[in-house]
Amino acid sequence: MTFTALTSSSVSTYKLYINGKWEQSKSGQAIDIQSPYLYEAIGKVQAITKEEVDEAIHFAQKAQKEWADISLQERAKYLYKWADELVNMQDEIAEVIKKEVGKSYKDAKSEVVRTADFIRYTVEEALHIHGESMRGDSFPGGSQSKIAIIQRVPLGVVLAIPPFNYPVNLAAAKLAPALMAGNAVIFKPATQGAISGTKMIEALHKAEFPKGLVNLVTGRGSVIGDYLVEHKGINMISFTGGTNTGVNLAKKASMVPLVLELGGKDPGIVREDADLQEAAKHIISGAFSYSGQRCTAIKRVLVHESVANELIGILKEEIEKLSVGSPEDGSMVVPLIDDQSANFVQGLIDDAIKKGATLVTGNKRERNLVYPTLLDHVTEDMRVAWEEPFGPVLPVIRVSSDEEAINIANESEFGLQASVFTKDINKAFAIANKIETGSVQINGRTERGPDHFPFIGVKGSGMGAQGIRKSIESMTREKVTVLNLAE
Ligand code: G3P
């Protein structure tokens, strides 16, 4: 495949994908994509114009009508082929993900494989979704001669906007259900992540989907974001990203179904009866994998004061063993996506230390590489108790009861997930029932997968539900056809 990018001097310029063709934007402008750890541009993506957005949506609308008419089994063949092509391209795509968003090669590769699995499961799930029928006479006065047939039908053109941290997986997690449900897609990748997204579309192109069904539009969100969101040709929006952007998007999108997966401040609640070694293992993996750049990262620990010293001791020891450095070395803690993100995390650490938090380990920085940082005795007046760092800093708040932990957990503006660590299953459920999040993990780290589980953010963490079946449902609506039999 040589058509996706133009190679000039040292870096490639990747193209738009509109109506099945790789195109350069008429804007004549391209955006540099800087690697977060190579500190140089690794490529450029097109800055699309509004007119080109109109064209892409026009082609999508056209393609969707025919796509909705083809059988599920036919749609399945295209998606299976796409999954196969992703697997064929896994090394190449993983290399791009690594360079573009600074994720270790191993994690990048599992992202691609997870994506192929996701697509295949989506196909199978969609093939097994059935409609229902209702008899009229179950309602008082209703007649047996009336029968409602309820089917799920596509919404039209879905706008898919994934974040930088899973530029392939969270993109396909929107595209695959949209397509199996009979929709067309306008795919707007995060700017940082757009080359990985382009590679994913390259695999899709190889699967020879109908022209115009999936269109890749790249450009600065600040320039085309609102235009896309407010566009009359968009019938559904699936967005994963920051809470501020999501809230802004929800204000702009009128009368269009939305699924938003936004930020989080997932607490790890550690009861006095928890297995502390196990809890620490899950907390560390939850908090520091990919430098905490996951919406589902554990972003605060609420620990019972009677076991706090012991837990802190284990956490310190284990955190100091974490690999820190370049994704090229397979490090777990890697440079953050950009300097601004690192400055933000540093601001949270500085504020906490100034207000009296104890620095247990970390607070070391090399440019945008922030070392894993553990803060103890964090109190509610500190920003790090409430704000989402999206970086490798873990605040510990000591509590004296389950009730206090639940209250602090629920005071957050976010409500994505929470973990509860305890040996008492009854207490675990009692706490889980009171926590205001989409999911609660008992004795495990907060995470989205396995990908067929419902994935839900409440409060500032989003609206609607993802997870394979839920995503298909969110990208369809029910259509009722009523059969009136002659009596
Ligand atoms: O940040 C995106 C979110 O969906 C995280 O996914 O699989 O790392 O829990 P995961």
Side-chain angles (χ1 to χ4, degrees):
M1 173 60 54
T2 51
F3 306 112
T4 53
L6 297 168
T7 306
S8 69
S9 56
S10 55
V11 296
S12 299
T13 303
Y14 293 85
K15 295 183 181 174
L16 304 167
Y17 184 66
I18 294 177
N19 200 29
K21 292 201 279 285
W22 297 103
E23 309 262 13
Q24 253 184 290
S25 171
K26 295 185 184 74
S27 71
Q29 287 173 15
I31 303 164
D32 274 342
I33 305 295
Q34 296 286 332
S35 168
Y37 67 96
L38 295 170
Y39 305 113
E40 62 184 22
I42 54 154
K44 291 170 186 281
V45 297
Q46 306 290 321
I48 198 170
T49 65
K50 289 180 178 165
E51 291 69 33
E52 287 161 334
V53 166
D54 291 343
E55 276 172 34
I57 295 175
H58 163 75
F59 288 123
Q61 286 172 321
K62 215 164 135 235
Q64 192 269 328
K65 300 219 166 13
E66 286 177 27
W67 180 249
D69 281 344
I70 77 164
S71 76
L72 279 168
Q73 286 290 344
E74 277 297 308
R75 287 182 210 160
K77 284 185 203 154
Y78 288 103
L79 275 96
Y80 278 135
K81 180 86 170 69
W82 176 28
D84 291 345
E85 294 295 349
L86 281 171
V87 172
N88 294 341
M89 291 175 69
Q90 60 182 288
D91 296 342
E92 181 188 349
I93 299 180
E95 191 61 30
V96 172
I97 295 175
K98 181 186 76 181
K99 290 208 162 73
E100 187 174 27
V101 301
K103 187 180 276 196
S104 75
Y105 185 73
K106 184 168 150 273
D107 288 350
K109 216 162 141 144
S110 26
E111 175 171 346
V112 182
V113 173
R114 176 180 180 181
T115 303
D117 290 339
F118 189 105
I119 295 169
R120 294 193 186 106
Y121 195 103
T122 303
V123 170
E124 283 144 28
E125 190 71 24
L127 293 177
H128 292 95
I129 290 182
H130 305 293
E132 59 172 335
S133 66
M134 292 170 85
R135 285 165 57 122
D137 61 343
S138 45
F139 193 81
S143 160
Q144 256 186 32
S145 64
K146 263 188 194 295
I147 301 169
I149 300 159
I150 303 142
Q151 300 178 81
R152 298 206 79 93
V153 295
L155 295 174
V157 178
V158 169
L159 173 60
I161 313 179
F164 78 83
N165 60 349
Y166 284 94
V168 168
N169 180 265
L170 280 173
K174 299 174 189 312
L175 268 67
L179 292 170
M180 271 316 284
N183 300 288
V185 177
I186 299 294
F187 168 36
K188 158 71 181 80
T191 304
Q192 190 96 30
I195 301 178
S196 307
T198 303
K199 288 279 157 195
M200 186 198 72
I201 293 297
E202 207 174 297
L204 183 138
H205 178 69
K206 287 181 181 170
E208 298 181 336
F209 277 78
K211 290 185 182 3
L213 191 64
V214 176
N215 300 276
L216 166 72
V217 301
T218 55
R220 292 252 176 244
S222 52
V223 179
I224 55 158
D226 287 355
Y227 190 71
L228 276 164
V229 164
E230 291 172 341
H231 202 288
K232 293 282 170 267
I234 296 295
N235 306 110
M236 189 270 169
I237 302 172
S238 177
F239 170 82
T240 303
T243 298
N244 290 342
T245 314
V247 169
N248 184 46
L249 187 155
K251 284 184 191 147
K252 299 255 150 106
S254 63
M255 296 290 284
V256 172
L258 298 178
V259 172
L260 305 177
E261 195 243 301
L262 310 175
K265 189 72 183 170
D266 295 359
I269 298 175
V270 184
R271 292 196 78 244
E272 60 267 50
D273 65 351
D275 178 331
L276 296 182
Q277 287 288 352
E278 270 297 297
K281 187 180 89 192
H282 289 287
I283 288 169
I284 288 173
S285 148
F288 297 109
S289 297
Y290 187 39
S291 296
Q293 296 177 110
R294 297 167 52 243
C295 52
T296 48
I298 290 195
K299 290 171 184 152
R300 51 195 170 137
V301 171
L302 306 175
V303 58
H304 196 279
E305 57 199 1
S306 62
V307 293
N309 287 343
E310 195 182 340
L311 180 74
I312 294 279
I314 303 169
L315 289 173
K316 175 177 172 5
E317 196 180 325
E318 295 303 319
I319 289 170
E320 288 173 353
K321 289 185 203 158
L322 295 179
S323 51
V324 182
S326 168
E328 298 284 349
D329 308 327
S331 299
M332 179 174 181
V333 178
V334 290
L336 296 181
I337 195 71
D338 53 30
D339 289 345
Q340 202 188 339
S341 305
N343 292 343
F344 179 76
V345 172
Q346 189 66 57
L348 294 181
I349 298 171
D350 294 347
D351 172 77
I353 293 174
K354 198 173 78 197
K355 290 177 180 157
T358 310
L359 173 68
V360 182
T361 188
N363 193 22
K364 191 176 145 195
R365 184 172 167 193
E366 291 156 19
R367 204 164 167 170
N368 56 334
L369 174 64
V370 179
Y371 278 65
T373 300
L374 183 65
L375 297 167
D376 190 11
H377 298 109
V378 168
T379 48
E380 294 177 49
D381 58 328
M382 299 174 191
R383 289 174 53 208
V384 77
W386 307 110
E387 295 182 35
E388 180 183 38
F390 230 68
V393 54
L394 184 62
V396 178
I397 301 175
R398 295 174 175 231
V399 295
S400 56
S401 64
D402 292 349
E403 288 62 40
E404 191 183 354
I406 293 165
N407 288 340
I408 296 174
N410 288 344
E411 267 172 53
S412 168
E413 65 176 293
F414 298 106
L416 192 55
Q417 295 205 353
S419 289
V420 182
F421 298 96
T422 174
K423 289 188 192 127
D424 184 333
I425 194 67
N426 295 313
K427 291 282 184 199
F429 268 81
I431 295 172
N433 288 341
K434 289 195 180 133
I435 296 279
E436 295 162 3
T437 55
S439 316
V440 179
Q441 307 268 353
I442 297 173
N443 293 327
R445 71 171 204 171
T446 45
E447 62 188 1
R448 173 170 49 121
D451 293 337
H452 62 310
F453 284 8
F455 182 48
I456 300 160
V458 298
K459 305 198 286 186
S461 293
M463 57 190 276
Q466 295 187 95
I468 291 176
R469 190 183 181 95
K470 296 286 171 196
S471 294
I472 297 171
E473 287 173 358
S474 74
M475 291 171 174
T476 50
R477 65 181 168 83
E478 288 184 318
K479 169 92 180 275
V480 186
T481 309
V482 181
L483 180 61
N484 290 275
L485 297 169
E487 294 196 60

